[in-house]
Amino acid sequence: MSEERKKRETPLLDELESGPWPSFVKEIKKADTAMADDLLGVLERSYEEKIGHWKHGGLVGVMGYGGGVIGRYSDLPQDFPEVAEFHTIRVNQPAGWFYTSDALRTIAGIWERHGSGMTNMHGSTGDIVLLGCKTQELEPVFAELTAAGFDLGGSGSDMRTPSCCVGQARCEWACYDTMGACYDFTQTYQDELHRPAFPYKYKLKFSGCPNDCVASVARSDMSFIGVWRDEIKVDAEQVKAYAAGGKLDIQKDVCDRCPTGCMKWDGAALEIDNANCVKCMHCINAMPKALAPGDDRGAAILIGAKAPIVGGALLASVFVPFIKMEPPYEDIKELLSRIWDLWAEHGKNRERVGEFIQRVGLGNFLEQIGLDPVPEMITAPRANPYIFYQDTVEDEA
Amino acid sequence: MSASPRKTDIGPPNFEKFLPPVVKTNYGQWKYHEILKPGVMVHVAASGDKLYTVRAASPRLLSVATIRMFAALADRFTGGFLRFTSRNNVEFLVSDPANIDPLIAELKKEGFPVGGIGPSISNCVHTQGWVHCHSAASDASGVVKSVMDDLYPHFANMDMPGKLRIAFACCLNMCGAVHCSDIAILGIHRKAPKIKHGDVPKMCEIPSLVSSCPTGAVRPATVDGLQSVEIIEEQCMYCGNCFTVCPAMKIADAENDGISIWVGGKVSNARTEPKFSKLAIPFLPNNPPRWPEVVEAVRNIVDAYAGNARKFERMGEWIDRIGWPNFFKLTDIPFTRYHIDDFKHAGETFRRSVHVRQV
Ligand code: HEM
Ligand code: HEM
Ligand code: HEM
Ligand code: SF4
Ligand code: SF4
Ligand code: SF4
Ligand code: SF4
């Protein structure tokens, strides 16, 4: 089959086949489909001209869904007819990105039969990205995916595909079951995921500890970061082993780097003032065999991260300092629905919840959803005196 | 098959189907882990069970042929179990330690090197670029390939003071995770879209075009008697949203598009708080296929960090310790007016003290 197609000359891209890092150019060539040939052709054109050749187009999708497919068209359809339509299908990944070889082959097979043979493992949101689908193939791909137990992810102004770190499946630091929570929330909110009805996107991300391996603090409207409330577990023998091992200077590399200075090391025993520990993970990261998060575990919920568009980037901020993460997560879902109701009613078009909170004020926002303000939400109280007092005494007219 | 009802809203498969037995048995019962060598770690459960992980780089853009190759390697060495990481690495979940070295050898043979754990440079998170996005100011895959070819020894060896995370996004929408990376490589447009007035009435719906602009820079206007739009140039920050809804608003510009470099961000809470990346280099040209200026600039910053930071210190922690003036001095990067914030809340980054290291 590949014999019959005329290979395009791609001298610029060919230079990216060499070198120790895996080559995406080799990948496009390996896909060995007519669509991949034209993808390579149009990309070579971009490398020559230093501009892209894609455009958005009319709405595309599968029946009954408002999200999950991103329409993409070439602006050079006459030169590269096979990629005239080259849509993205977002397929909701299994939590933690675990697969069996059979599951991967199932997806590979579907995509060989219907698409370009190119994927992203994975898109930045977390989805499996099937890259390059013609409009007429969308429904057949969807039918085969659902028959195999897979479904689409989100796009547009909907709940986006939730994602999570590997958590308790492999990480000793996970303070709750991130994969279980991610799967549970994804299943609960299938309608919100597939049918955009929000002012803008809403992302949930689940990290098992403050190392935040899915970057939830930077990338999600609602971030669940595992933490503990009791004492760091210390295995005194293992601490001594680290000290004797010679690779780690416990005073310099561990105690001196603790952000609150709450650790003491006298050369024989490690003492931690747990009341002043801010759960930063540094000491635990440095001595994984000796130290571990405590037993009273849960998560902190942070809210409102967003990218620069429109009003500038925001990191998420603390919303609930500690909550037990126990299925079926009724208290959290209750809170989430109050946030969604308020934001859906009063948020402007394309206003992320973080921007919405900045516009209306966190104090107002908390009051509307019925959450009490606590000092853990801020780094310092306000320094400006422009206070809008609510509890003033009215004049008797 | 055609008779079966159309399935919708089934959600993703339950992950439990895909977990190796050793993970199922020890779920939530892991005790500690150790990095055995570059790219290989072992997790030890309370029961004493062990799970070995072999982490390999991938270009993220994968053909089904490679996915089948990964599946075949998993069948040979892991009983069929593997996963991907948040930074697009692939991890093979090995139960029998005798399989580790043969697996690594096979991966190397196929061109997928092993590493990226511990104090090393892990895979570079990135976006679509010219491969697939309409608003890209640069290519993602080509820049990442060029930069990582150069930094490869730091992926394969644990020779950094701490973790160093690099990310690439091809326009300021920053679909990729770039704003909180140790080094963020960001494609930038520097000119407002050029309007093809003749095409606007034919191809675009003017009200939705006007409302697409997040800053309100697009206004209805009559040009040569035709209904069209104008752009208030001072209000445009080059997001490409107008081009998304109207192909007559072309934003790509071969000579003015290029790359900027940002440093010192992190998402982890370890020691210090998560931080945004800050501007280091305002503009470098697009120079495909290998972007030598970008490769050189990134290596220069990596070298300055590697040579000066303390153990565990992330890029941003190192810079906070030595001060930004020293960062610019050590890297020999010129400081310009563009480094000074002039957007909303700009004053927050002005120095309000005389705490200056005088030299
Ligand atoms: C106005 C703002 C934005 C526009 C116009 C925009 C547009 C797009 C487009 C067109 C794509 C598809 C790329 C492709 O496959 O061809 C995309 C992908 C994506 N966008 Fe955005 N985006 C915007 C903002 C954001 C923001 C703020 C985020 C996240 C914080 C984001 C996250 C993503 C992610 C994760 C992807 C998938 C990218 C990948 O996996 O390579 N986008 N965006
Ligand atoms: C309605 C507005 C203001 C009023 C009524 C006001 C009144 C006063 C008064 C009565 C004093 C004490 C003077 C003394 O020591 O005898 C003072 C001191 C001072 N005010 Fe204001 N002030 C106002 C606004 C401001 C503003 C806007 C600023 C600066 C932005 C400012 C900066 C200062 C400073 C720096 C001092 C000296 C404080 C010190 O001794 O440390 N004031 N002001
Ligand atoms: C030795 C201990 C560590 C192990 C075994 C480990 C393991 C991992 C794994 C498996 C991932 C991928 C997670 C996923 O795909 O869900 C990851 C990601 C990440 N880890 Fe760690 N991690 C360790 C220490 C740390 C430390 C100390 C930090 C921060 C200081 C950190 C920061 C991150 C970040 C930011 C990510 C996400 C970005 C990325 O994927 O690289 N990790 N880590
Ligand atoms: S976020 Fe914490 S619990 Fe989750 S994988 Fe990373 S280190 Fe482990
Ligand atoms: S977790 Fe962080 S704050 Fe707590 S004791 Fe360890 S280093 Fe100190
Ligand atoms: S960062 Fe910009 S150019 Fe890149 S995929 Fe996102 S919207 Fe497209
Ligand atoms: S590029 Fe963005 S900011 Fe500029 S005119 Fe278009 S929509 Fe508005």
Side-chain angles (χ1 to χ4, degrees):
Chain A
M1 150 137 178
S2 56
E3 247 81 341
E4 296 159 26
R5 298 194 312 265
K6 196 167 137 272
K7 286 287 172 199
R8 292 181 182 277
E9 300 282 308
T10 56
L12 292 173
L13 289 171
D14 293 352
E15 287 189 41
L16 290 168
E17 287 190 74
S18 61
W21 197 252
S23 167
F24 70 99
V25 176
K26 280 190 191 162
E27 290 299 320
I28 302 176
K29 291 187 177 178
K30 270 198 244 169
D32 196 25
T33 59
M35 290 178 85
D37 286 355
D38 272 5
L39 174 63
L40 209 59
V42 73
L43 191 58
E44 179 77 7
R45 182 77 65 87
S46 286
Y47 272 52
E48 289 161 5
E49 299 176 355
K50 301 200 244 183
I51 55 171
H53 282 292
W54 301 103
K55 60 179 187 180
H56 253 266
L59 285 180
V60 287
V62 301
M63 225 183 5
Y65 279 37
V69 178
I70 298 173
R72 179 71 68 238
Y73 301 85
S74 170
D75 68 4
L76 300 168
Q78 60 296 351
D79 295 353
F80 304 102
E82 287 293 328
V83 297
E85 295 164 355
F86 202 69
H87 312 313
T88 294
I89 303 178
R90 289 184 174 166
V91 180
N92 199 144
Q93 79 284 3
W97 298 290
F98 278 86
Y99 297 91
T100 54
S101 47
D102 286 340
L104 284 185
R105 277 188 289 262
T106 301
I107 291 168
I110 296 172
W111 198 229
E112 268 160 359
R113 288 190 288 280
H114 296 288
S116 72
M118 291 306 304
T119 71
N120 286 146
M121 300 295 278
H122 294 79
S124 321
T125 317
D127 301 279
I128 303 164
V129 168
L130 303 179
L131 198 67
C133 191
K134 296 180 183 179
T135 310
Q136 75 204 32
E137 296 296 328
L138 290 170
E139 280 295 336
V141 171
F142 180 68
E144 287 208 38
L145 283 170
T146 49
F150 284 89
D151 199 346
L152 301 192
S155 70
S157 296
D158 59 10
M159 182 183 84
R160 294 298 178 86
T161 313
S163 74
C164 63
C165 78
V166 67
Q168 293 182 343
R170 198 192 54 197
C171 186
E172 67 269 26
W173 298 330
C175 293
Y176 68 94
D177 181 5
T178 53
M179 290 178 18
C182 185
Y183 180 68
D184 180 298
F185 278 81
T186 309
Q187 291 296 350
T188 303
Y189 297 115
Q190 283 293 299
D191 192 37
E192 287 79 359
L193 179 66
H194 292 139
R195 286 161 207 94
F198 291 152
Y200 203 10
K201 56 187 131 182
Y202 198 95
K203 299 188 177 180
L204 304 176
K205 291 191 190 288
F206 301 86
S207 276
C209 83
N211 283 329
D212 196 3
C213 290
V214 285
S216 68
V217 74
R219 290 163 51 182
S220 56
D221 299 276
M222 204 162 193
S223 147
F224 299 84
I225 299 182
V227 285
W228 65 99
R229 287 191 291 197
D230 56 344
E231 306 189 340
I232 291 179
K233 289 191 273 191
V234 183
D235 180 334
E237 287 314 305
Q238 290 292 347
V239 175
K240 280 189 198 145
Y242 275 105
K247 282 196 201 146
L248 196 70
D249 179 335
I250 293 187
Q251 183 60 44
K252 191 161 145 258
D253 296 335
V254 183
C255 300
D256 292 353
R257 309 300 285 282
C258 169
T260 61
C262 69
M263 314 183 81
K264 251 198 221 136
W265 168 244
D266 62 7
L270 186 70
E271 207 183 298
I272 303 177
D273 171 11
N274 279 283
N276 281 308
C277 163
V278 290
K279 328 299 177 203
C280 83
M281 290 300 292
H282 171 68
C283 60
I284 299 173
N285 290 339
M287 301 193 284
K289 284 173 101 164
L291 306 181
D295 289 320
D296 184 8
R297 298 174 171 197
I301 304 178
L302 286 78
I303 191 164
K306 60 170 294 292
I309 303 288
V310 176
L314 298 171
L315 286 165
S317 69
V318 170
F319 195 57
V320 177
F322 186 89
I323 193 163
K324 284 282 184 187
M325 291 291 284
E326 278 152 9
Y329 314 100
E330 289 300 349
D331 41 357
I332 298 171
K333 288 174 186 167
E334 170 61 25
L335 184 66
L336 191 52
S337 73
R338 274 181 277 152
I339 294 172
W340 280 349
D341 287 347
L342 182 69
W343 174 58
E345 189 176 344
H346 298 288
K348 294 187 201 165
N349 186 30
R350 295 172 56 90
E351 183 174 52
R352 296 284 293 270
V353 78
E355 281 170 324
F356 175 69
I357 291 173
Q358 294 233 308
R359 179 163 64 82
V360 303
L362 179 58
N364 283 331
F365 184 80
L366 292 173
E367 193 170 271
Q368 290 297 321
I369 60 166
L371 207 61
D372 287 333
V374 293
E376 284 79 6
M377 293 174 177
I378 55 168
T379 55
R382 70 163 77 218
N384 73 67
Y386 309 125
I387 307 172
F388 295 100
Y389 290 98
Q390 291 180 334
D391 43 4
T392 50
V393 180
E394 296 300 319
D395 282 346
E396 308 271 336
Chain B
M1 176 129 170
S2 57
S4 64
R6 190 168 179 274
K7 281 195 207 171
T8 63
D9 299 288
I10 57 171
N14 190 329
F15 60 87
E16 283 175 23
K17 292 201 294 196
F18 301 144
L19 299 179
V22 60
V23 166
K24 269 195 191 142
T25 328
N26 297 290
Y27 199 93
Q29 303 299 323
W30 298 101
K31 197 154 182 280
Y32 68 91
H33 72 275
E34 273 179 299
I35 301 174
L36 300 177
K37 57 184 176 181
V40 182
M41 60 186 164
V42 60
H43 283 78
V44 182
S47 64
D49 287 352
K50 291 182 176 173
L51 172 67
Y52 299 87
T53 297
V54 174
R55 183 182 290 183
S58 109
R60 187 177 88 126
L61 192 61
L62 293 177
S63 65
V64 294
T66 295
I67 293 175
R68 287 187 181 282
M69 183 272 288
F70 286 160
L73 288 183
D75 282 341
R76 264 177 77 191
F77 296 110
T78 74
F81 297 100
L82 72 171
R83 69 178 289 267
F84 293 82
T85 74
S86 54
R87 301 195 75 85
N88 311 318
N89 293 307
V90 55
E91 290 185 338
F92 291 84
L93 306 169
V94 183
S95 299
D96 178 359
N99 281 330
I100 294 173
D101 288 330
L103 169 62
I104 293 175
E106 286 296 323
L107 283 164
K108 285 213 170 116
K109 206 174 78 192
E110 297 285 352
F112 293 86
V114 166
I117 298 180
S120 63
I121 299 184
S122 186
N123 206 337
C124 186
V125 173
H126 61 278
T127 45
Q128 301 292 3
W130 292 334
V131 169
H132 204 249
C133 192
H134 64 291
S135 41
S138 182
D139 188 37
S141 312
V143 177
V144 168
K145 163 78 173 144
S146 304
V147 166
M148 292 309 287
D149 271 343
D150 188 65
L151 297 178
Y152 169 73
H154 302 307
F155 173 83
N157 301 294
M158 298 185 285
D159 57 2
M160 289 279 114
K163 288 178 184 291
L164 193 137
R165 308 286 193 203
I166 306 181
F168 178 100
C170 30
C171 85
L172 89 182
N173 290 325
M174 297 203 210
C175 298
V178 299
H179 52 325
C180 299
S181 308
D182 296 284
I183 300 180
I185 310 173
L186 177 67
I188 40 168
H189 299 290
R190 298 187 298 166
K191 295 272 240 194
K194 289 187 221 48
I195 309 167
K196 283 197 209 136
H197 292 292
D199 288 345
V200 172
K202 280 183 284 176
M203 303 170 94
C204 314
E205 198 204 328
I206 291 180
S208 59
L209 171 53
V210 167
S211 65
S212 74
C213 177
T215 68
V218 178
R219 306 270 173 85
T222 306
V223 181
D224 298 334
L226 286 175
Q227 290 269 300
S228 184
V229 293
E230 62 182 0
I231 296 178
I232 318 290
E233 303 235 345
E234 311 81 77
Q235 280 181 34
C236 173
M237 68 347 190
Y238 326 122
C239 70
N241 280 5
C242 53
F243 179 58
T244 306
V245 301
C246 174
M249 309 283 288
K250 192 132 190 163
I251 188 164
D253 178 326
E255 296 318 313
N256 283 300
D257 292 349
I259 280 180
S260 57
I261 301 209
W262 307 68
V263 298
K266 75 197 264 284
V267 294
S268 139
N269 283 271
R271 300 169 302 284
T272 54
E273 293 176 359
K275 321 179 203 299
F276 286 131
S277 313
K278 318 285 189 316
L279 182 65
I281 303 178
F283 184 76
L284 294 168
N286 268 328
N287 200 353
R290 284 241 168 228
W291 280 268
E293 295 86 356
V294 177
V295 170
E296 169 64 34
V298 171
R299 187 195 324 120
N300 176 41
I301 295 170
V302 169
D303 287 349
Y305 161 78
N308 292 281
R310 293 178 183 159
K311 186 168 176 170
F312 293 119
E313 214 166 39
R314 296 282 294 261
M315 178 81 68
E317 296 173 299
W318 166 60
I319 299 172
D320 283 349
R321 174 166 62 79
I322 64 168
W324 283 97
N326 275 328
F327 169 79
F328 285 101
K329 203 175 297 168
L330 281 169
T331 53
D332 217 11
I333 294 172
F335 186 81
T336 69
R337 55 166 291 179
Y338 299 119
H339 290 91
I340 301 176
D341 194 356
D342 54 12
F343 195 57
K344 273 188 220 168
H345 315 303
E348 285 173 9
T349 53
F350 298 175
R351 188 184 299 279
R352 310 275 180 193
S353 75
V354 287
H355 294 194
V356 175
R357 292 170 171 86
Q358 305 286 358
V359 272

